[in-house]
Amino acid sequence: AAAARVHEGATPSPGRSRPAVVKIHPVVVASIVDSYERRNEGASRVIGTLLGTIDKHSVEVTNCFSVPHNESEDEVAVDMEFAKNMYELHRKVSPSEVIIGWYATGYDITEHSVLIHEYYSREAQNPIHLTVDTALQSGKMSVRAYLSAPMGVPGKTVGVMFTPLSVKYVYYDTECIGIELLQKTRTSPSRTNGLTSDLTQVAGSAAQTQEMLSTVLAYIEDVLAGKVTADNSVGRYLMDLVDKVPMIPAEDFETMLNSNINDLLMVTYLTNLTQTQIALNEKLVIM
Amino acid sequence: MASRKESGVSSSNTLDSPVKQIQIEGLVVLKIIKHYQEEGQGSEVVQGVLLGLVVEDRLEITNCFPFPQHTEEDADFDEVQYQMEMMRSLRHVNIDHLHVGWYQSTFYGSFVSRALLDSQFSYQHAIEESVVLIYDPIKTAQGSLSLKAYRLTPKLMEICKEKDFSAEGLKKAAVGYENMFEEVPIVIKNSHLISVLLWELEEKSTVPSKHELLSLSSSSSHLEKSLQMLMDRVDDMSQDIVKFNTFSRNTSKQQQQKHQYIQRRQQENTQRQSRGEPPLPEEDISKMFKPPQPPPRMDTLLIAGGLSVVLDKHLIQCDFRTLLIRRYCWFVPE
């Protein structure tokens, strides 16, 4: 844990830069939503710790876990032992993740949040505070991030101001593909979706490419017919697109395709052969 | 090419298993992907535990947590303790703390090993409905999420229980490499709030979707590597076959030797009798000729099973790529 820092009245040290962008992985928000769904009876919101990595200008949130807490009108109690324990356990799996802040569900920042933020300032330098509006108070599930800054008259009334940061979603490639698959569950009535077989996926990708092509074609037709004014930047993109198709003479292309097919047929043949071999071997050796 | 028999794993419709379908929450999928991405670069496997509950004949997986990698420095790291602490903590926040299985990543499809068998057996023994989820990150990166759930067939469970891995034991249970694992179909289910989240993400995300599937040449390196793995396995298999051949040759040679010895003994005895001397004592033949050790059959089975799973994957991949290329052929400008 970081060394203790008294937050009230202290000014941020000049060497440390304050992050401007918060990059979030979708798994974090999904986790938060899941813990909100599993909250205790009577609790209106859940809180938890955010784990991730800090860059010079941005903070990347890659993991989180929820922390049990009790909140009532006048007091708030957070199970700090639990938080410490969980952090240790998580460190065993990914030693590079550090505590970078905390999250709370809900739309507003309450006074209790200030206290909790105080606690987290002891665990991490400049913790960020994330709110996920799971109750959909603002009409959609908005995810916002804040940094705290002291404000007020030093020595007299001091307070804490939460300055908003911009939130960006980042994905690994594989995460992208996972999310794409999950998106399909939105449309089915029982919110379920089986894992698609390879062929259907190829068909899906092909359909998407076709759609994109038809959109582009429609735009070009409109421009030619004078319905839409031509945009130079779009024109440049189109030029790049057309240039990317390599100029290969037809015979070369055919030979390339054929040799590729030959390779694949050979692999198919070999795999069939090996499969028969295994079956034979079993019959001879074991039975 | 139209109809393909699923060799290597039999579908669970034909077997009478307690679990007919697996229902996974989107969160679990994301967590598994993230775990591999962050901690599992290279050919190391990452593992973790699945949590959830059993509803009728469905196994619902609602959460999961990763296991740290085995490192040499952490010799005193207690896995059981880690697991217990994790589960206790998760129970505090109302996450299902019932173990229902475990997940593992695989490298080009080679996941059938003794370790996997042992782990899955202990899981299935303790909790009847547990499964092992195999996540293939390389195939996923190519465009389609590859997550499969396997269980041991009841026959294999029997064998493991009795630890009778000899050839007779296997023959008795009639377990071939095709009946080792059964695959259970997976369905992804998301709650309403997660659906809301997905709508949000769709609006905000600016990442274009990749279409690796349609690329004609990009996976040639993958094909090469897969074939390499295949060759390694076939090598293992042939070594095993050689071992078995030597064993059978040794046994038959020994039989001959025994026979000869008995004959010689009898001859000597008749000679002695004719000379009036007491016959030589009958020695315990079995002690003299120790039968050679039969090679363990389990490994053969495992190799065969692993091979067939990999082959299946290959076939499917090759099949649709050939299909794709044949379609492309129509559009090649003449």
Side-chain angles (χ1 to χ4, degrees):
Chain A
R5 263 190 91 243
V6 178
H7 201 77
E8 257 112 307
T11 47
S13 57
R16 195 170 32 89
S17 58
R18 295 163 74 82
V21 178
V22 176
K23 299 194 206 149
I24 308 188
H25 282 262
V27 64
V28 174
V29 192
S31 239
I32 299 179
V33 168
D34 183 68
S35 13
Y36 177 74
E37 285 174 354
R38 291 168 183 280
R39 65 193 187 283
N40 288 321
E41 287 260 5
S44 59
R45 62 180 195 162
V46 289
I47 67 164
T49 313
L50 293 172
L51 304 171
T53 48
I54 306 186
D55 234 351
K56 255 208 304 196
H57 303 291
S58 62
V59 173
E60 194 167 334
V61 187
T62 48
N63 207 347
C64 67
F65 57 83
S66 70
V67 176
H69 83 303
N70 279 319
E71 225 175 309
S72 64
E73 279 288 327
D74 16 310
E75 61 168 13
V76 60
V78 174
D79 193 346
M80 306 188 194
E81 264 309 307
F82 180 92
K84 275 206 190 27
N85 251 346
M86 273 299 249
Y87 178 50
E88 286 304 312
L89 287 176
H90 276 253
R91 268 185 72 103
K92 294 213 177 96
V93 178
S94 5
S96 58
E97 288 183 344
V98 291
I99 299 185
I100 53 170
W102 66 292
Y103 69 82
T105 59
Y107 189 60
D108 303 316
I109 304 185
T110 65
E111 297 132 4
H112 299 315
S113 305
V114 180
L115 285 169
I116 306 179
H117 197 84
E118 165 86 4
Y119 159 67
Y120 274 100
S121 325
R122 275 181 256 139
E123 297 288 329
Q125 279 187 345
N126 240 352
I128 60 171
H129 172 45
L130 202 74
T131 54
V132 180
D133 188 13
T134 42
L136 303 175
Q137 274 177 300
S138 63
K140 51 184 196 156
M141 189 178 290
S142 49
V143 175
R144 295 140 102 206
Y146 302 94
L147 263 188
S148 78
M151 68 167 186
V153 182
K156 300 229 181 111
T157 35
V158 287
V160 170
M161 179 176 70
F162 284 93
T163 45
L165 301 167
S166 54
V167 169
K168 222 168 71 129
Y169 288 105
V170 290
Y171 302 81
Y172 298 125
D173 286 342
T174 37
E175 267 187 332
C176 233
I177 293 171
I179 292 273
E180 261 183 55
L181 189 64
L182 295 183
Q183 298 283 17
K184 299 215 182 86
T185 65
R186 289 182 317 193
T187 48
S188 88
S190 60
R191 305 184 312 276
T192 61
N193 180 42
L195 294 181
T196 47
S197 78
D198 291 319
L199 219 48
T200 39
Q201 266 156 349
V202 175
S205 296
Q208 263 185 312
T209 322
Q210 203 171 24
E211 225 183 278
M212 291 199 276
L213 278 176
S214 44
T215 323
V216 172
L217 275 176
Y219 171 77
I220 296 179
E221 307 252 319
D222 280 344
V223 169
L224 283 179
K227 286 192 221 157
V228 179
T229 45
D231 190 356
N232 275 338
S233 46
V234 177
R236 262 178 246 128
Y237 279 129
L238 285 175
M239 185 79 169
D240 284 340
L241 182 74
V242 173
D243 275 340
K244 279 209 182 114
V245 179
M247 291 293 298
I248 311 177
E251 305 89 37
D252 288 353
F253 193 56
E254 236 183 276
T255 26
M256 281 196 270
L257 268 182
N258 280 336
S259 55
N260 210 347
I261 295 192
N262 281 338
D263 289 339
L264 291 177
L265 287 176
M266 177 190 77
V267 174
T268 321
Y269 171 70
L270 281 177
T271 40
N272 275 326
L273 189 66
T274 328
Q275 272 188 331
T276 349
Q277 173 70 31
I278 305 179
L280 258 183
N281 181 46
E282 179 151 40
K283 295 282 179 278
L284 287 175
V285 164
I286 298 185
M287 301 300 183
Chain B
M1 234 174 262
S3 69
R4 153 109 330 115
K5 184 167 85 86
E6 281 262 13
S7 71
V9 285
S10 46
S11 72
S12 63
N13 296 328
T14 52
L15 295 171
D16 190 21
S17 70
V19 176
K20 295 261 174 359
Q21 199 190 61
I22 307 246
Q23 192 174 284
I24 306 191
E25 294 224 351
L27 177 66
V28 176
V29 174
L30 288 177
K31 274 184 148 175
I32 296 181
I33 294 179
K34 164 204 181 305
H35 184 206
Y36 177 79
Q37 193 71 29
E38 292 191 348
E39 308 297 332
Q41 295 310 325
S43 55
E44 302 156 17
V45 293
V46 295
Q47 298 176 333
V49 172
L50 299 170
L51 307 162
L53 57 152
V54 180
V55 173
E56 298 163 352
D57 64 349
R58 266 197 336 255
L59 182 65
E60 294 195 9
I61 303 182
T62 53
N63 216 322
C64 67
F65 63 84
F67 244 59
Q69 304 260 25
H70 289 287
T71 45
E72 293 83 29
E73 307 98 58
D74 287 343
D76 55 349
F77 174 72
D78 193 1
E79 286 199 355
V80 178
Q81 197 207 5
Y82 171 85
Q83 213 165 325
M84 288 278 100
E85 274 201 45
M86 252 316 204
M87 307 228 313
R88 222 181 311 139
S89 312
L90 290 177
R91 198 183 337 177
H92 273 259
V93 288
N94 298 337
I95 294 182
D96 296 323
H97 54 276
L98 185 61
H99 250 174
V100 289
W102 58 301
Y103 67 84
Q104 180 178 313
S105 74
T106 171
F107 185 64
Y108 281 114
S110 61
F111 60 88
V112 178
S113 71
R114 196 54 190 268
L116 182 117
L117 190 71
D118 289 337
S119 303
Q120 181 58 15
F121 170 67
S122 55
Y123 261 95
Q124 236 172 285
H125 194 61
I127 302 162
E128 218 202 312
E129 302 89 357
S130 59
V131 297
V132 54
L133 274 187
I134 302 289
Y135 165 64
D136 190 346
I138 294 163
K139 190 138 181 278
T140 308
Q142 287 190 315
S144 66
L145 177 70
S146 156
L147 201 63
K148 296 215 153 90
Y150 291 109
R151 289 166 47 81
L152 300 181
T153 49
K155 294 190 187 155
L156 197 60
M157 289 285 293
E158 291 260 341
I159 295 191
C160 288
K161 239 184 278 194
E162 299 170 24
K163 296 214 193 314
D164 179 14
F165 293 137
S166 67
E168 294 80 29
L170 291 176
K171 210 192 300 197
K172 203 167 31 142
V175 167
Y177 68 93
E178 294 191 351
N179 310 343
M180 284 175 59
F181 296 101
E182 55 179 11
E183 186 176 342
V184 189
I186 298 184
V187 153
I188 300 189
K189 183 175 162 94
N190 283 321
S191 68
H192 288 294
L193 270 184
I194 300 264
S195 304
V196 176
L197 175 66
L198 289 173
W199 281 107
E200 258 313 293
L201 287 179
E202 170 120 352
E203 266 187 27
K204 296 274 175 59
S205 99
T206 49
V207 182
S209 45
K210 300 178 111 173
H211 292 292
E212 292 260 349
L213 282 178
L214 292 182
S215 154
L216 281 180
S217 65
S218 73
S219 71
S220 59
S221 68
H222 292 300
L223 201 58
E224 269 178 38
K225 288 222 192 77
S226 306
L227 275 181
Q228 193 80 29
M229 302 285 308
L230 199 66
M231 291 198 306
D232 290 340
R233 305 235 115 212
V234 171
D235 276 339
D236 287 339
M237 182 115 202
S238 61
Q239 276 180 358
D240 209 66
I241 294 180
V242 161
K243 258 192 260 173
F244 183 75
N245 282 340
T246 5
F247 161 68
S248 49
R249 240 181 298 134
N250 282 347
T251 343
S252 58
K253 227 193 313 179
Q254 211 188 52
Q255 291 284 50
Q256 272 194 337
Q257 282 180 340
K258 265 201 234 176
H259 210 65
Q260 282 179 345
Y261 177 79
I262 294 180
Q263 279 199 331
R264 256 188 296 132
R265 262 297 151 102
Q266 283 184 342
Q267 275 186 344
E268 269 193 43
N269 278 343
T270 41
Q271 278 186 350
R272 284 195 170 206
Q273 273 186 341
S274 61
R275 276 186 281 169
E277 289 169 19
L280 288 173
E282 279 295 318
E283 285 181 14
D284 194 2
I285 306 215
S286 51
K287 258 195 267 185
M288 285 186 49
F289 294 92
K290 253 189 16 174
Q293 283 282 11
R297 310 309 312 151
M298 204 55 209
D299 296 335
T300 327
L301 254 196
L302 283 174
I303 296 177
L307 249 185
S308 59
V309 168
V310 171
L311 287 175
D312 235 3
K313 200 170 83 87
H314 261 309
L315 276 178
I316 296 180
Q317 221 186 10
C318 287
D319 269 348
F320 82 76
R321 290 186 67 75
T322 348
L323 213 66
L324 199 59
I325 293 189
R326 287 228 176 97
R327 290 284 170 271
Y328 261 101
C329 270
W330 287 104
F331 300 113
V332 171
E334 295 299 338

